């Protein structure tokens, strides 16, 4: 016997593996290309986050993995077996979606027990698994309640408990923490990751929340317009974004317009628009840039320093502090300059002697390794072009 729930899929046999291979996977709805030739290899026991804005193709990609959508082209292999044309219940995976999809006539414990009963687990084993799953989602005192006696966040936690209770080797999750409050969401990030490591399960986790992706995932695939724009570890994406889109979507970034020039030493450098000194600046990824092209230079706010104007030379730009926003351990300083407004996130611990105030004249500085350049045409073109 096998059954498919609206929010969680359960099968008689748990898949023995957890390696996933997507090869040229595409999905087209009429003339709309929702997913564009996505190729990914997800290792056994890996936690992969698929990150992107609404409409990027994340959920469509996940639905093809579950079997709820058929690909237009491409292959999906789980442990070497092509499952792209298999029905959902034959894929041996666990799934939790945004929607709760709970049985209204069953208690919390009965909902969570459902996948275990489908696997004919003994009542004694069921009780142990149910108790542990409910403790993970902080619902151990709600076992006898019915779904309509729970808040939306509590219902989503029941759905999550039901998905993890049978410890599947491959778990697909689509925005599972979206209905939870901030504190519980942060707790569940840790618990889901800890459980995944303990069980050795492979997790593919769809989210638009960069915090979830960066804190939970071993690797992150950033999607834009149906394609994977960058695949890498969280620190790769944050410190070395491959495109202006990734730099803008993952974290905060200052962008400055400019143009590349070729120096006599053969190195490409950048002159920023509005910089009346015409200073030629180094960027960390100069080898990937072409000369005489329009570019955007991206710099993270925490990589920006504010210095006294006296003695300023080199590439530093002078400006005026127009906003100071207290953030606790840091303060965001907004500085008006000739190259545009610059956001600088400064540690208050390091500002004990010098605290900048609105109206102060400052020199804006960043190191060359903190700046990355992106061709303007690349941001304006789609992945398919």
């Amino acid at each position: 016997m096998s059954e498919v729930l609206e929010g969680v899929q359960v099968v008689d046999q748990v898949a023995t593996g957890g390696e996933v291979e997507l090869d040229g996977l595409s999905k087209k709805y009429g003339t709309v290309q929702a997913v564009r030739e996505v190729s990914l290899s997800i290792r056994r026991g890996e936690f992969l986050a698929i990150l992107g804005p609404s409409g990027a193709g994340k959920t469509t990609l996940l639905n093809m993995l579950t079997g709820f959508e058929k690909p237009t082209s491409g292959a999906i292999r789980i442990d070497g077996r092509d499952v792209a044309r298999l029905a959902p219940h034959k894929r041996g995976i666990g799934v939790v979606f945004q929607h709760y999809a709970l049985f209204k006539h069953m208690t919390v414990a009965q909902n969570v027990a459902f996948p275990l009963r489908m696997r004919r687990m003994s009542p004694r084993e069921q009780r142990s698994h149910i108790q542990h799953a409910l403790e993970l989602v902080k619902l151990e005192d709600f076992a006898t309640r019915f779904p309509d006696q729970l808040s939306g966040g509590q219902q989503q936690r029941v759905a999550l408990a039901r998905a993890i209770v049978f410890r599947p080797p491959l778990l697909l999750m689509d925005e599972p923490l979206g209905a939870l409050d901030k504190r519980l969401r942060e707790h569940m990030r840790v618990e889901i990751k800890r459980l995944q490591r303990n069980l050795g399960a492979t997790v593919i986790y769809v989210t638009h929340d960069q915090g979830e992706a960066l804190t939970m995932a071993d690797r992150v695939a950033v999607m834009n317009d149906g394609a994977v724009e960058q695949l890498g570890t969280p620190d790769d994406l944050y410190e070395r974004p491959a495109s202006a889109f990734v730099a803008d979507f993952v974290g905060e970034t200052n962008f400055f317009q400019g143009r590349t020039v070729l120096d006599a030493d053969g190195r490409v450098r950048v002159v920023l628009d509005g910089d009346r000194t015409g200073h030629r600046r180094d960027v960390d990824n100069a080898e990937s840039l072409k000369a005489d092209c329009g570019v955007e230079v991206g710099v993270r706010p925490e990589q920006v320093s504010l210095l006294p104007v006296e003695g300023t030379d080199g590439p530093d730009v002078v400006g005026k502090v127009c906003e100071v926003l207290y953030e606790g351990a840091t303060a965001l300083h907004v500085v008006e300059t000739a190259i545009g407004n610059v956001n600088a996130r400064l540690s208050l611990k390091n500002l004990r002697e010098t605290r900048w105030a609105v109206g102060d004249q400052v020199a804006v500085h960043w190191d060359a390794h903190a700046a990355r350049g992106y061709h303007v045409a690349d941001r304006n073109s789609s992945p398919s072009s």
Side-chain angles (χ1 to χ4, degrees):
M1 177 189 295
S2 61
E3 299 202 20
V4 179
L5 307 184
E6 189 177 355
V8 178
Q9 178 187 325
V10 295
V11 295
D12 288 334
Q13 298 296 322
V14 177
T16 57
E19 293 181 329
V20 181
E21 184 83 22
L22 309 183
D23 187 4
L25 199 62
S26 296
K27 180 64 179 180
K28 198 170 185 179
Y29 299 99
T31 60
V32 177
Q33 190 77 49
V35 175
R36 306 169 186 271
E37 298 199 6
V38 170
S39 295
L40 291 172
S41 295
I42 300 100
R43 298 183 287 267
R44 191 187 308 277
E46 182 175 23
F47 195 122
L48 177 78
I50 300 176
L51 176 67
S54 296
K58 309 183 302 297
T59 296
T60 301
L61 183 65
L62 195 75
N63 285 340
M64 286 191 285
L65 277 163
T66 61
F68 298 138
E69 292 282 358
K70 291 183 178 179
T72 303
S73 60
I76 304 169
R77 287 184 285 273
I78 300 177
D79 292 329
R81 181 179 64 149
D82 191 345
V83 300
R85 306 301 168 186
L86 289 182
H89 65 276
K90 295 183 178 180
R91 301 191 182 196
I93 55 180
V95 186
V96 58
F97 290 115
Q98 291 174 297
H99 307 297
Y100 313 135
L102 302 178
F103 294 112
K104 303 300 182 183
H105 64 286
M106 291 184 180
T107 65
V108 167
Q110 289 168 339
N111 268 281
V112 175
F114 188 79
L116 307 179
R117 290 194 290 109
M118 293 300 98
R119 288 166 172 76
R120 298 177 176 84
M121 184 178 288
S122 71
R124 181 178 179 180
E125 287 182 298
Q126 287 186 37
R127 286 192 293 272
S128 173
H129 280 65
I130 293 165
Q131 179 67 20
H132 183 58
L134 291 179
E135 287 175 356
L136 285 177
V137 299
K138 289 189 173 291
L139 287 178
E140 60 268 36
D141 296 330
F142 293 76
T144 60
R145 295 196 186 183
F146 289 88
D148 61 5
Q149 297 173 314
L150 305 176
S151 68
Q154 290 168 337
Q155 290 183 44
Q156 183 63 303
R157 282 185 275 160
V158 175
L160 180 58
R162 186 172 61 183
I164 64 176
V165 70
F166 65 99
R167 302 174 184 177
L170 177 57
L171 180 62
L172 308 183
M173 309 179 78
D174 189 2
E175 307 275 9
L177 306 183
L180 307 184
D181 61 56
K182 181 177 183 294
R183 185 174 180 179
L184 184 57
R185 190 164 61 244
E186 291 173 351
H187 170 78
M188 285 306 303
R189 290 178 188 175
V190 175
E191 293 303 329
I192 289 173
K193 184 63 179 176
R194 182 179 301 157
L195 180 63
Q196 181 257 342
R197 282 177 174 162
N198 288 341
L199 298 178
T202 302
V203 173
I204 301 176
Y205 189 102
V206 166
T207 182
H208 68 276
D209 186 322
Q210 58 178 278
E212 286 184 11
L214 296 181
T215 57
M216 297 176 71
D218 300 313
R219 289 189 300 161
V220 181
V222 181
M223 290 193 70
N224 179 29
D225 195 24
V228 174
E229 191 120 338
Q230 186 174 356
L231 172 66
T233 62
D235 60 311
D236 280 338
L237 265 63
Y238 192 83
E239 297 175 15
R240 293 170 292 279
S243 68
F245 172 83
V246 175
D248 196 26
F249 191 76
V250 180
E252 299 176 48
T253 303
N254 294 293
F255 285 104
F256 310 109
Q257 304 300 312
R259 194 160 192 87
T260 54
V261 293
L262 187 64
D263 269 1
D265 62 2
R267 183 175 176 84
V268 172
R269 290 181 169 84
V270 177
V271 177
L272 296 181
D273 295 349
D275 185 355
R276 289 184 288 273
T277 68
H279 188 91
R280 297 185 172 198
R281 298 169 180 268
D282 286 310
V283 293
D284 188 55
N285 60 330
E287 71 284 349
S288 68
L289 300 177
K290 299 176 183 177
D292 195 28
C293 290
V295 291
E296 292 179 290
V297 173
V299 183
R300 300 289 190 191
E302 64 271 20
Q303 298 285 355
V304 178
S305 301
L306 302 183
L307 307 173
V309 173
E310 295 76 17
T312 297
D313 58 8
D316 295 349
V317 177
V318 174
K320 181 177 72 173
V321 177
C322 62
E323 294 284 352
V324 178
L325 305 176
Y326 177 74
E327 298 177 328
T330 60
L332 183 68
H333 295 63
V334 184
V335 184
E336 292 180 340
T337 77
I339 63 173
N341 281 4
V342 182
N343 290 337
R345 180 163 284 108
L346 307 180
S347 167
L348 294 180
K349 182 178 179 181
N350 298 331
L351 291 176
R352 288 176 178 172
E353 298 180 5
T354 304
R355 290 240 181 167
W356 303 110
V358 172
D360 286 347
Q361 294 288 319
V362 295
V364 177
H365 172 83
W366 62 79
D367 294 332
H369 69 78
R372 295 181 68 81
Y374 307 100
H375 292 297
V376 173
D378 292 343
R379 184 196 275 265
N380 297 331
S381 63
S382 71
S384 62
S385 61

